[in-house]
Amino acid sequence: MIENRDAKLVEDILRLKEQRKAIILAHNYQLGEVQDIADFVGDSLELSQKAAGTDAEVIVFCGVHFMAETASILCPAKTVLLPDINAGCPMANMVTAEKLRERKRELPGVTVVCYVNSTAEVKAESDICCTSANAVKVIESLDDKEILFVPDQYLGYYVSTRTGRKMHLWPGFCPTHIRIRPEDISRLKREYPQAKVIVHPECRPEVTALADEVLSTGGICRFAKQTEATEIIVGTEIGIIHRLRKENPGKKFIPASEQAVCPNMKLITLEKILWSLEEMAPEVKVSEETRLKAKAAVDKMLEIGR
Ligand code: SF4
């Protein structure tokens, strides 16, 4: 019965998607059924690149608010829909444009690098953007000036250890990734001694220190395909396990913590996607003044690539 209901929902979404000339983009942390209906599933960088390159007229963004904003920054002529407008990112909200301006006044001449997990207003106050996939490359591309990294202190710290660059770190964090504890990894390593451990750089340093690889979600998906290991402990939001199992049926993926669930990512459902396409709402649109400033920071990042 439930399967019939889902099949009907999927059919209606696909029909309406065609009529609206829409593309559905989904983040790796989305619910399995949402990933399955998407035209493209990826990490923040891959999704921004896809949004920038699509000729669809409507982008249904299955992710959180800052991601839909990034699509709007890159594609002002397109309608960007976020099926649940309450799908925010607590980490992104840990820095505001006003607080960032204050900090810039305290650090005159500083280069501001903002993680893509930030609002459009914060991007507009930044010199260059980065994602967890290209943060090391972005920092390496900068000259010797002081760097202020916002908002994720753990990604910032990880990148500073990889590049040797000292940075001022904003005290933000992802409430989902900090739920992954070093003792979770140690216990699973004892249970699965042959397993490779891959974690996201939003995890705490005590966790990244125990990993074989520290990767963005896109990097985790590529690693999972290429590695010869058949058991992999995955330290990131558990939505990614759906994709990993689907793409690598012969391998075993073990979530580092069942607690690593982002409730905002789970707000997007098939029903809301259908409703969103029917109503052409909720739309996310960034004001032109903010968009142009934010776009300069995003474009600089896209020039650097992965
Ligand atoms: S997983 Fe963390 S960083 Fe990603 S959207 Fe959720 S709260 Fe934000």
Side-chain angles (χ1 to χ4, degrees):
M1 199 62 189
I2 287 176
E3 274 178 17
N4 284 346
R5 191 209 57 170
D6 277 3
K8 173 80 173 72
L9 264 174
V10 169
E11 196 186 306
D12 289 348
I13 290 169
L14 295 179
R15 182 182 35 78
L16 209 49
K17 187 185 79 159
E18 203 72 14
Q19 280 174 21
R20 301 284 195 214
K21 298 189 173 53
I23 185 173
I24 300 177
L25 302 181
H27 191 269
N28 289 317
Y29 297 159
Q30 288 288 294
L31 291 170
E33 61 266 32
V34 171
Q35 294 187 32
D36 290 345
I37 203 176
D39 295 289
F40 184 78
V41 182
D43 64 19
S44 299
L45 178 60
E46 292 163 342
L47 295 175
S48 328
Q49 287 167 330
K50 207 74 187 171
T54 181
D55 50 16
E57 291 172 14
V58 176
I59 298 173
V60 182
F61 213 111
C62 303
V64 292
H65 195 267
F66 75 81
M67 297 177 178
E69 271 191 340
T70 308
S72 168
I73 289 165
L74 292 169
C75 323
K78 298 186 195 304
T79 304
V80 180
L81 303 174
L82 180 62
D84 188 322
I85 202 67
N86 296 313
C89 168
M91 181 211 278
N93 296 333
M94 288 177 189
V95 56
T96 62
E98 197 189 336
K99 291 272 176 222
L100 178 54
R101 280 193 291 272
E102 265 174 39
R103 190 75 181 116
K104 280 163 73 176
R105 279 195 290 274
E106 290 166 4
L107 299 167
V110 77
T111 300
V112 180
V113 180
C114 76
Y115 188 21
V116 71
N117 298 31
S118 53
T119 63
E121 286 78 19
V122 165
K123 288 185 178 74
E125 286 292 332
S126 303
D127 296 290
I128 187 165
C129 199
C130 74
T131 70
S132 53
N134 62 14
V136 168
K137 240 175 148 179
V138 166
I139 297 297
E140 282 172 344
S141 76
L142 300 175
D143 61 22
D144 290 344
K145 284 203 281 184
E146 278 190 280
I147 296 170
L148 170 61
F149 190 93
V150 302
D152 185 12
Q153 60 181 303
Y154 296 123
L155 174 63
Y157 175 78
Y158 171 71
V159 174
S160 74
T161 62
R162 287 282 313 277
T163 59
R165 293 289 299 264
K166 274 194 156 178
M167 301 191 283
H168 299 276
L169 303 177
W170 197 270
F173 59 90
C174 165
T176 297
H177 282 86
I178 64 158
R179 290 198 196 119
I180 301 171
R181 303 167 309 167
E183 50 269 41
D184 297 325
I185 307 279
S186 303
R187 179 180 47 79
L188 288 168
K189 275 174 98 164
R190 283 194 299 277
E191 211 173 313
Y192 300 95
Q194 305 301 325
K196 287 274 181 206
V197 178
I198 42 179
V199 308
H200 193 277
E202 286 173 22
C203 290
R204 289 180 284 155
E206 308 88 274
V207 172
T208 52
L210 296 173
D212 294 300
E213 301 283 344
V214 180
L215 297 165
S216 68
T217 59
I220 289 174
C221 293
R222 280 186 293 283
F223 177 90
K225 278 187 188 161
Q226 289 156 8
T227 183
E228 304 214 324
T230 52
E231 292 178 332
I232 301 156
I233 298 165
V234 185
T236 190
E237 209 277 346
I238 62 169
I240 199 169
I241 301 288
H242 174 80
R243 176 172 169 190
L244 293 172
R245 287 181 180 151
K246 198 169 150 185
E247 292 180 351
N248 307 278
K251 295 179 182 173
K252 185 176 175 76
F253 296 95
I254 306 122
S257 168
E258 296 287 348
Q259 306 297 314
V261 180
C262 175
N264 291 285
M265 284 283 181
K266 309 304 180 215
L267 286 174
I268 311 294
T269 60
L270 290 180
E271 285 86 351
K272 289 177 190 169
I273 294 172
L274 179 59
W275 176 82
S276 180
L277 277 164
E278 278 170 355
E279 302 293 321
M280 290 295 280
E283 186 178 356
V284 172
K285 189 130 190 91
V286 176
S287 78
E288 194 57 7
E289 193 190 343
T290 305
R291 188 186 81 78
L292 290 174
K293 289 193 209 152
K295 187 169 184 295
V298 176
D299 280 347
K300 272 192 211 150
M301 168 187 84
L302 292 176
E303 277 163 28
I304 289 172
R306 185 167 289 282

